Amino acid sequence: MAQHEFHLTAEWNGGRNAEGTIRAGNLDTKISIPKEMGGPGVGTNPDEMLIGAAATCYLITLAAMLERKQIPVDKLTLETTGVVSENRGRLKFESITHYPHVVLGTEVTEQQVEEAKGFTEKAEQSCMISNALRGNVELAVEARVEKA
């Protein structure tokens, strides 16, 4: 069994409303609590990073599935929304919803369109990050798949 290690280093300068930095591979950015949660809103934050991890994993998984089945894609875009609730001062990451928009090549068959629609759901179920979150965060996909 192959294992892959990923490493992150972090620095934090102060208390709750301070800011810090993180570095992991190609990721090198400032961090803080978001303005929406009463923080300074400098750099990114854990909420953005969580939906970023879920979205990039989903998008790469979907692209790989389409490529493996040789379904021509003209354009693949994604919007992702994460919802965090606050109850009595406790925060909970409630849900992540992916909104992929898949524009297939004009030469695709109706069977390939249907297959691509299926992959929009299967990619969420196959994504390593989604699988790590499943059971703790509600996960959903609302896809648009169409011919160019």
Side-chain angles (χ1 to χ4, degrees), residues 41-96:
V42 175
T44 192
N45 58 68
D47 311 282
E48 290 172 345
M49 291 179 57
L50 184 61
I51 67 167
T56 54
C57 182
Y58 173 82
L59 190 62
I60 291 167
T61 302
L62 177 57
M65 289 178 164
L66 293 166
E67 180 182 86
R68 255 187 309 243
K69 284 294 190 166
Q70 299 179 335
I71 298 175
V73 176
D74 279 2
K75 189 174 184 180
L76 176 56
T77 59
L78 177 67
E79 291 184 30
T80 296
T81 301
V83 176
V84 175
S85 66
E86 186 173 353
N87 186 8
R88 296 185 195 144
R90 296 192 64 115
L91 299 172
K92 181 178 183 332
F93 215 106
E94 294 286 339
S95 66
I96 295 175

Side-chain angles (χ1 to χ4, degrees), residues 135-146:
N136 292 309
V137 176
E138 182 182 320
L139 303 167
V141 174
E142 295 184 23
R144 284 191 307 152
V145 178
E146 60 193 7

Side-chain angles (χ1 to χ4, degrees), residues 58 61-63 65-67 69 71-73 75-76 98-105 108-126 140-148:
Y58 173 82
T61 302
L62 177 57
M65 289 178 164
L66 293 166
E67 180 182 86
K69 284 294 190 166
I71 298 175
V73 176
K75 189 174 184 180
L76 176 56
H98 299 299
Y99 300 90
H101 183 200
V102 184
V103 180
L104 302 173
V108 298
T109 66
E110 283 307 311
Q111 180 181 343
Q112 287 175 312
V113 172
E114 290 307 309
E115 226 175 348
K117 287 178 182 176
F119 287 147
T120 63
E121 291 293 329
K122 189 174 180 183
E124 188 277 320
Q125 296 165 9
S126 301
V141 174
E142 295 184 23
R144 284 191 307 152
V145 178
E146 60 193 7
K147 280 186 178 183

